[in-house]
Amino acid sequence: MDILSILGVLIGFAAIIGGNMLGGGELGALVNYHAFIIVVGGTLGATLLQFPPKVFLRSLRILSWIFVPQNLQLKKQIDKIVRWSSLARKEGLLGLESVIETEKDSFAKKGLQLLVDGNEPEVIRDCLEVELTTKEHLDTQAARVFEAMGGYAPTIGIIGAVIGLIHVMQNLAKPELLGSGIATAFVATIYGVGLANLLFIPIANKLKSLIFEASQAREMVIEGISSIAEGENPRNIELKLSGFLLEK
């Protein structure tokens, strides 16, 4: 679990709600179903219009990374690649066939299969980089779904505020209805700006960071498998790949 993500959500909303209550406001003053429907429904509708189903569904699948990031374990991956290299030097590339059957990571498994098939290092690198680029693009597009929501929400909040003010103007002769209209106007703005800056934009930026880390891990696999194909010494491969751990 990513504790910082959990704390970020809790602290962000607690600060808004707590600050309102410390200032003498009531919790119920921030609850307005009309404003919520306008902001959330409008934001969702605009987002669905912008993105194809494949990208939107992908965004829902990777949302869990915010609280449960992918377990990359770069150090263990380096140790694994070094073992592959040692095995290849002892038994030849065909000795890695048994490794392919037990390898769980589909990306590494594809690289090992290319290696065992006797492809040149350049071919292996090209094939894996195509998959890396494609996957990174798909995941980045999915992260942009939340970025777009962060852009639409404040604007939809303003629309909700205008709708609330229209109701106020239409009911100037009915003082008992003015309060609900004004509440909708201001609360809609709070919902739009709050959701954008407390949830949508931070989620998008964190997903982009996690996608970059996953791409770096795959780059390491590409470098390791290509080095094995080039016949490099396992010790040299370990030293080379340790560069990916400098920021860890």
Side-chain angles (χ1 to χ4, degrees):
M1 294 292 291
D2 190 329
I3 302 300
L4 289 182
S5 291
I6 298 174
L7 287 177
V9 172
L10 294 178
I11 292 174
F13 282 97
I16 302 299
I17 296 173
N20 173 65
M21 297 181 69
L22 288 175
E26 298 180 358
L27 179 60
L30 298 178
V31 178
N32 188 297
Y33 298 111
H34 299 148
F36 183 83
I37 291 173
I38 291 171
V39 174
V40 175
T43 300
L44 181 60
T47 304
L48 290 174
L49 178 60
Q50 177 175 343
F51 295 95
K54 180 180 180 180
V55 174
F56 183 78
L57 293 175
R58 178 63 182 166
S59 72
L60 297 180
R61 286 195 291 270
I62 69 174
L63 179 60
S64 61
W65 294 357
I66 296 296
F67 302 105
V68 186
Q70 299 178 86
N71 190 12
L72 299 177
Q73 296 184 323
L74 297 187
K75 183 63 174 68
K76 290 184 178 180
Q77 185 66 50
I78 291 175
D79 293 339
K80 189 190 300 184
I81 293 173
V82 172
R83 289 198 299 271
W84 295 345
S85 176
S86 299
L87 182 61
R89 287 175 70 88
K90 292 179 181 178
E91 302 181 14
L93 295 179
L94 293 178
L96 295 173
E97 286 186 329
S98 59
V99 176
I100 296 176
E101 298 175 0
T102 58
E103 179 57 42
K104 297 180 180 180
D105 180 27
S106 60
F107 186 80
K109 192 170 186 176
K110 180 177 181 178
L112 286 170
Q113 187 63 61
L114 289 167
L115 184 62
V116 170
D117 289 343
N119 291 286
E120 294 294 325
E122 294 80 7
V123 175
I124 295 174
R125 185 181 295 274
D126 289 344
C127 289
L128 294 179
E129 285 183 348
V130 167
E131 181 170 335
L132 168 63
T133 302
T134 302
K135 185 169 181 57
E136 184 177 14
H137 175 72
L138 290 175
D139 288 343
T140 301
Q141 284 291 98
R144 288 186 61 245
V145 169
F146 298 101
E147 188 175 56
M149 294 176 76
Y152 292 132
T155 304
I156 303 299
I158 294 174
I159 293 175
V162 172
I163 291 174
L165 293 176
I166 290 174
H167 290 170
V168 170
M169 299 301 293
Q170 289 176 335
N171 295 286
L172 289 177
K174 302 176 182 178
E176 69 277 6
L177 299 178
L178 297 181
S180 62
I182 295 174
T184 300
F186 286 105
V187 175
T189 304
I190 292 175
Y191 284 172
V193 176
L195 289 174
N197 291 280
L198 294 178
L199 281 181
F200 298 145
I201 295 176
I203 285 175
N205 290 333
K206 186 144 195 176
L207 284 176
K208 288 180 181 179
S209 176
L210 294 173
I211 291 167
F212 175 77
E213 290 182 6
S215 295
Q216 286 291 96
R218 293 188 183 96
E219 285 278 6
M220 186 183 72
V221 172
I222 294 174
E223 193 63 43
I225 292 179
S226 298
S227 297
I228 295 174
E230 292 169 353
E232 290 191 29
N233 185 284
R235 178 57 179 166
N236 291 341
I237 294 176
E238 182 177 13
L239 290 173
K240 179 191 295 185
L241 299 185
S242 63
F244 287 91
L245 300 176
L246 291 179
E247 297 181 359
K248 299 298 178 182

